[in-house]
Amino acid sequence: YYIFTKREYVTEEYNMYKSNLIFEKLVSQELDSSLSTLYINTEDVLSVQRKRYENAIKQHNSIFGEKDIEIYSAPGRTEVGGNHTDHQHGEVLAASVNLDAIAIVSDNSDNMIKIVSEGYSPVEIDLDDISYSEDEKETTLSLIKGILNGFIERGFKIGAFNAYITSDVLNGAGLSSSAAFETLIGTILSGLYNDMKISPIDIAIIGQYAENKFFGKPCGLMDQMACSVGGFVHINFENPDKPVVEQVKFDLDKEGYCLCIVDTKGSHADLTEDYAMIPLEMKEVASKMNKEVLGEIDSTDFFKKLPEIAKEVSPRALLRAIHFFNENKRVELETDALLKENFEEFLKLVKASGDSSYKCLQNIYSPKDAKNQPIALALTVSEAFLGNNGVCRVHGGGFAGTIQIFVKKDFVSSYKNYIEQIFGEGSCHILNIRGIGGAKVC
């Protein structure tokens, strides 16, 4: 069963408008209320977004001509709790962020989907030929075809369109630019051909299907679900075919905090084995209790049998299992803290999640390259510098890449200036939690 199936919209207007009329609304700031829903509501941010949208409309018109258009948006996401729990059928807490992919969309009569994404080669798909092709694996073409097939299999409508897409979701920062793209395409099809009635849950599941079956990446469902549903999202994967999804309404800005992601510039090369060993070792522990994954085991039973299991598996495997059970419970407590607006308790739990990833999960650096520890350095210096002004944790898969920080707004400039002295200018990205997922802007 699902919790939360209501689709939210940015505006009440759903008809296509001439591009010049929308352009004029942007210039006159008539769309600021809609943009404020998606981005931080400050004049400098809205000014940047107005210009971004204006430029995207110009690019669409130069490529496809001046037509009636609609604008769609899909956000990136951040993992807040549940580090490496989803693949064990556990629980996660994720959230959409105010970085997004936007699409300027128009109809065409060519029975084609024509997409131009900024910085990438154009993609064209004939709707009479959307079957799977082995040669197209790991391409944008395969993702779009997968989404189209997912719509058809579920009885939804598809059709032709033109789209110019631009995205400020950071690549390689654990914010799921691919899931944002999948959500964007699904939301466009929902808006153009299904009266915007397809639930965000369905769009997320279709996005995962496209990535698994057509693109060829065996990803979980957390990324797509967070991007599509929006806000803080609590997901229970006990039954991965029917995850329980709960959207948690919480205003981070109201608490006087913002979210930072720091890119430690660590290389993801040669980390495949490190990532693979985490689920492998967790499953090894599960097998000692005659189960396939840890999520099938009652935590009380596990801790009772821990002394016995310790004789049969490596200490690291056991530590990673301990992390899973404790982290699973933490996700529930984090969600409860947000629902009760107990932000101080939430921050304590975020810090505890980070500590567990460091000590038990051990995804802070690769043991193959023990001298190279940028995430460990970032966490250590951040914790010391922040004091009572914020908390930090590893972000995403770990071993290299980024850390996540919840920091007081009046301290964020000081933190950014400090951490960028170590990891370089532009390494600290100041974000916020976006309240809605995939959306039709106008």
Side-chain angles (χ1 to χ4, degrees), residues 35-36 38-43 45-46 98 253 430-432:
L35 297 180
S36 297
L38 305 178
Y39 312 103
I40 299 174
N41 187 15
T42 60
E43 177 51 38
V45 170
L46 293 180
N98 60 325
D253 188 63
I430 303 172
L431 309 176
N432 210 322

Side-chain angles (χ1 to χ4, degrees), residues 268-328:
H268 286 81
D270 300 322
L271 293 177
T272 302
E273 182 183 355
D274 294 300
Y275 290 126
M277 287 302 294
I278 292 177
L280 185 67
E281 291 181 357
M282 287 183 175
K283 287 182 177 181
E284 181 186 7
V285 174
S287 70
K288 302 305 177 184
M289 297 184 70
N290 300 313
K291 300 295 183 181
E292 183 179 350
V293 293
L294 294 176
E296 298 174 349
I297 299 169
D298 180 80
S299 62
T300 302
D301 290 342
F302 166 76
F303 283 106
K304 281 182 179 178
K305 295 184 179 180
L306 190 152
E308 179 182 336
I309 298 171
K311 299 172 185 176
E312 302 182 57
V313 301
S314 70
R316 189 175 71 174
L318 198 59
L319 283 167
R320 285 174 165 172
I322 291 170
H323 165 83
F324 169 84
F325 288 108
N326 290 338
E327 184 79 345
N328 233 25

Side-chain angles (χ1 to χ4, degrees), residues 28 34 64 76 117 143 222 236 282 285 304 330 334 360 385 401 419:
S28 65
S34 297
F64 301 111
S117 295
L143 275 182
M222 178 183 69
N236 187 329
M282 287 183 175
V285 174
K304 281 182 179 178
R330 247 188 312 271
E334 286 174 336
C360 295
F385 187 78
I419 204 71

Side-chain angles (χ1 to χ4, degrees), residues 91-389:
E91 300 185 41
V92 299
L93 180 66
S96 58
V97 298
N98 60 325
L99 297 178
D100 66 346
I102 63 171
I104 313 300
V105 179
S106 59
D107 288 329
N108 72 52
S109 57
D110 301 332
N111 199 43
M112 302 279 289
I113 291 178
K114 301 177 181 180
I115 296 177
V116 176
S117 295
E118 183 180 17
Y120 296 89
S121 300
V123 174
E124 292 191 358
I125 296 176
D126 187 334
L127 291 177
D128 291 329
D129 181 19
I130 61 170
S131 59
Y132 172 81
S133 172
E134 185 74 19
D135 294 337
E136 293 170 354
K137 284 181 66 174
E138 299 184 3
T139 67
T140 301
L141 190 65
S142 68
L143 275 182
I144 300 168
K145 283 188 174 183
I147 293 168
L148 293 169
N149 279 272
F151 265 64
I152 292 171
E153 287 186 9
R154 286 159 180 78
F156 302 139
K157 298 176 183 178
I158 65 170
F161 63 86
N162 307 312
Y164 175 78
I165 296 174
T166 181
S167 176
D168 60 10
V169 181
L170 305 167
N171 286 319
L175 297 175
S176 294
S177 56
S178 60
F181 178 82
E182 293 154 17
T183 298
L184 185 65
I185 300 301
T187 307
I188 291 170
L189 290 169
S190 178
L192 290 182
Y193 295 105
N194 297 272
D195 298 321
M196 208 65 186
K197 292 180 179 178
I198 300 178
S199 79
I201 304 290
D202 284 325
I203 289 175
I205 290 171
I206 290 170
Q208 183 202 27
Y209 165 83
E211 197 153 342
N212 290 174
K213 303 298 183 181
F214 279 69
F215 187 82
K217 179 181 178 182
C219 69
L221 186 57
M222 178 183 69
D223 295 351
Q224 290 83 358
M225 200 67 77
C227 292
S228 187
V229 172
F232 284 96
V233 185
H234 173 213
I235 313 169
N236 187 329
F237 290 109
E238 182 178 1
N239 182 351
D241 294 327
K242 291 185 177 180
V244 180
V245 182
E246 176 185 14
Q247 188 187 49
V248 182
K249 297 285 189 180
F250 187 85
D251 190 344
L252 184 65
D253 188 63
K254 182 180 175 182
E255 294 291 334
Y257 275 75
C258 61
L259 171 70
C260 290
I261 298 294
V262 174
D263 183 0
T264 67
K265 310 296 175 66
S267 172
H268 286 81
D270 300 322
L271 293 177
T272 302
E273 182 183 355
D274 294 300
Y275 290 126
M277 287 302 294
I278 292 177
L280 185 67
E281 291 181 357
M282 287 183 175
K283 287 182 177 181
E284 181 186 7
V285 174
S287 70
K288 302 305 177 184
M289 297 184 70
N290 300 313
K291 300 295 183 181
E292 183 179 350
V293 293
L294 294 176
E296 298 174 349
I297 299 169
D298 180 80
S299 62
T300 302
D301 290 342
F302 166 76
F303 283 106
K304 281 182 179 178
K305 295 184 179 180
L306 190 152
E308 179 182 336
I309 298 171
K311 299 172 185 176
E312 302 182 57
V313 301
S314 70
R316 189 175 71 174
L318 198 59
L319 283 167
R320 285 174 165 172
I322 291 170
H323 165 83
F324 169 84
F325 288 108
N326 290 338
E327 184 79 345
N328 233 25
K329 182 62 177 177
R330 247 188 312 271
V331 168
E332 295 177 3
L333 294 173
E334 286 174 336
T335 301
D336 187 61
L338 291 177
L339 288 169
K340 293 179 179 177
E341 298 188 351
N342 187 346
F343 193 62
E344 183 178 345
E345 178 65 18
F346 169 77
L347 291 177
K348 290 179 182 177
L349 292 163
V350 170
K351 182 182 184 305
S353 172
D355 289 344
S356 180
S357 292
Y358 205 145
K359 298 173 183 176
C360 295
L361 185 62
Q362 298 181 27
N363 65 334
I364 305 303
Y365 63 90
S366 171
K368 299 193 299 288
D369 188 13
K371 289 185 177 181
N372 187 23
Q373 299 190 30
I375 288 182
L377 176 62
L379 291 170
T380 301
V381 298
S382 293
E383 192 170 272
F385 187 78
L386 287 167
N388 295 323
N389 293 295

